[in-house]
Amino acid sequence: MNPRTNAQVAAELSDFVSSSPTSYHATATAAARLDAAGFTELDEREKWELEPGAGCYVVRDGAIIAWRVPADLATAQGFRVFGAHTDSPAFKLKPGGEYTTEGVRQVGVEIYGGPLLNSWLDRELAFAGRLALADGRVVLAQTPAIARIPQLAIHLDRQVNEGLTLDKQRHTTPIIGLADLAESDIIELLASSAEVDPELIVGHDVYTIPTQAPCLFGVEDEFFASPRLDNLLSVHAGVTALETVDAQSLEAIAVVAGFDHEEIGSNSRSGACGPFLADITERIAESLFPDSTRSDYLALLAGSVCVSSDAGHAAHPNYPERHDPQVRPRLGGGPLLKLNAQQRYATDAVGTAMWSAACAAAGVESQDFVSNNAMPCGSTIGPLTATRLGMTTVDVGPALYSMHSAREMCAISDVVALGAAAKAFLQG
Ligand code: CO
């Protein structure tokens, strides 16, 4: 196993997650890591000329696809794709600007994805995202902690502990200041963080983010608490693995895909239902094999496989009845292999064998996840990627508690294990 201590692993993941408050930041963080590892950014609007052994990446809005080409092209049997998603539930800044209520300043927000609403209460929040400027630039921005969605005092709702009900419009609106102290507004703070003139801002995709730093905890420092573990933990594992694959012994083109908009259904130009991965794989094939036909590309796809990694649930000790009675994945037990008969997960017998081989090569335990039949099963990018590209796909991922909370938790040993399995899969 990896000799690094829990503290080192936690510090690395903490840096990655903290530098990635939104999907736009996550792609920039991944891109910076890949730049440092010698990868080259390509522009989708240009013609590509890829060389054997090349490491490249493309960013499309809040999504990124990166790859390493085998040094010996004759060995390239297809693509090995490690897929994940860059977005997480949050609140998105509405248009309409700020207003004053009861002496405090407020801004409207819309719910993005499926957050555990209660977990966002009584936390100091920042706003982060991207700004489109009148001169055509798009820049990243992030305010300091300026907002909070304050909970109602128990004295004003004596029944609250029998069941908290939150109205998605009225009860989720953040406060950002005192009405009689209004000197600067959110847009000005965002502009100042990006060092641009606020007058230049003509569009924005801006979200609330919790500001409390991630941390290790547990009697043996075995747990890790952080926002956005779903699914930056997987993005981090994929990028870290790709950085270190050895082109000399690759037998497939190793690809890491971080899609946006998974939390809202993946239907977008940068989501897994969109054309991003199909576009990029076809262009890689065409550039590497200039005389190839469409049929050659499809042959390459037929020899391709995909691991879709996304957060899953460990059996919760306080709610044991919510899980399958027999299959009890636990924190610290290694990555989950996610199974669902309705194909909410793409895993099948062939995919299972493929993932088992990667885990065995990495010396990592894998554990099965299957839902309780009375509970709805989540889904992820796996079935969408399989549907779009026809690759054999397997759904896996790290076990969490509190998925979609503003502060989720995992076991730090599972971070190490997923990273090792991702590396073994991509290396082949
Ligand atoms: Co997820």
Side-chain angles (χ1 to χ4, degrees):
M1 280 299 286
N2 198 308
R4 291 178 304 160
T5 65
N6 286 0
Q8 283 173 304
V9 175
E12 268 179 41
L13 181 57
S14 177
D15 274 355
F16 192 90
V17 172
S18 301
S19 315
S20 308
T22 69
S23 59
Y24 308 108
H25 291 81
T27 56
T29 302
R33 287 274 305 262
L34 293 163
D35 286 339
F39 284 66
T40 305
E41 179 169 13
L42 298 181
D43 187 325
E44 285 196 82
R45 294 165 298 185
E46 291 170 3
K47 186 170 169 58
W48 301 349
E49 283 169 16
L50 298 178
E51 303 284 338
C56 302
Y57 69 89
V58 174
V59 170
R60 186 186 282 191
D61 295 338
I64 185 167
I65 295 178
W67 64 92
R68 175 69 74 189
V69 177
D72 179 2
L73 279 190
T75 65
Q77 296 164 354
F79 299 93
R80 296 181 81 85
V81 181
F82 185 89
H85 67 87
T86 54
D87 62 320
S88 300
F91 299 91
K92 187 174 188 186
L93 187 62
K94 275 183 170 176
E98 64 176 74
Y99 54 95
T100 297
T101 328
E102 313 294 355
V104 294
R105 302 160 66 188
Q106 294 194 284
V107 287
V109 291
E110 253 184 304
I111 296 173
Y112 178 86
L116 276 173
L117 292 178
N118 64 298
S119 72
W120 286 81
L121 305 177
D122 296 350
R123 289 181 189 273
E124 291 66 57
L125 307 174
F127 285 83
R130 66 173 183 173
L131 312 173
L133 308 181
D135 60 14
R137 281 182 296 154
V138 176
V139 295
L140 299 177
Q142 180 175 349
T143 72
I146 58 169
R148 179 171 166 127
I149 306 168
Q151 200 163 189
L152 185 66
I154 193 164
H155 314 79
L156 305 179
D157 183 4
R158 291 286 185 187
Q159 258 55 68
V160 67
N161 289 331
E162 315 316 317
L164 173 66
T165 304
L166 294 170
D167 181 280
K168 286 178 181 162
Q169 176 62 41
R170 287 182 295 136
H171 299 154
T172 60
T173 307
I175 61 157
I176 60 165
L178 292 174
D180 52 8
L181 286 182
E183 277 172 22
S184 51
D185 63 22
I186 287 187
I187 297 298
E188 284 166 356
L189 288 174
L190 288 165
S192 139
S193 78
E195 298 179 343
V196 299
D197 178 352
E199 301 287 314
L200 275 182
I201 300 172
V202 289
H204 56 72
D205 296 305
V206 169
Y207 300 82
T208 54
I209 55 163
T211 55
Q212 187 185 359
C215 82
L216 274 179
F217 71 106
V219 173
E220 310 292 343
D221 269 353
E222 61 268 66
F223 296 132
F224 183 68
S226 169
R228 303 183 295 281
L229 290 176
D230 174 10
N231 189 20
L232 294 181
L233 200 168
S234 297
V235 176
H236 176 260
V239 169
T240 306
L242 186 67
E243 281 171 354
T244 58
V245 295
D246 177 11
Q248 298 300 326
S249 58
L250 278 181
E251 290 175 356
I253 300 157
V255 180
V256 170
F259 296 104
D260 201 355
H261 300 138
E262 191 276 342
E263 299 293 357
I264 52 169
S266 296
N267 285 297
S268 75
R269 78 183 207 103
S270 50
C273 287
F276 193 27
L277 184 59
D279 290 353
I280 299 303
T281 49
E282 184 161 6
R283 293 192 62 181
I284 292 171
E286 191 188 338
S287 176
L288 288 176
F289 308 105
D291 300 325
S292 64
T293 63
R294 167 93 183 151
S295 180
D296 294 328
Y297 166 63
L298 294 177
L300 207 58
L301 275 193
S304 299
V305 289
C306 175
V307 163
S308 153
S309 180
D310 197 357
H313 309 293
H316 196 304
N318 297 351
Y319 303 85
E321 75 287 356
R322 300 294 169 123
H323 305 276
D324 181 83
Q326 309 305 326
V327 179
R328 315 291 294 182
R330 60 185 175 86
L331 291 188
L336 306 176
L337 173 74
K338 298 152 84 174
L339 298 130
N340 180 260
Q342 314 291 337
Q343 284 279 297
R344 302 280 292 166
Y345 301 129
T347 307
D348 62 8
V350 176
T352 298
M354 173 176 88
W355 180 245
S356 301
C359 287
V364 162
E365 295 289 324
S366 166
Q367 43 182 355
D368 291 339
F369 171 87
V370 68
S371 287
N372 182 305
N373 291 348
M375 296 285 152
C377 181
S379 190
T380 178
I381 63 150
L384 307 175
T385 307
T387 302
R388 289 273 305 151
L389 293 169
M391 294 180 190
T392 292
T393 301
V394 59
D395 271 298
V396 308
L400 304 187
Y401 290 151
S402 318
M403 191 191 293
H404 290 193
S405 166
R407 201 165 173 85
E408 299 165 327
M409 70 174 278
C410 68
I412 203 76
S413 61
D414 288 337
V415 178
V416 176
L418 181 67
K423 171 74 186 293
F425 167 72
L426 286 174
Q427 190 68 57

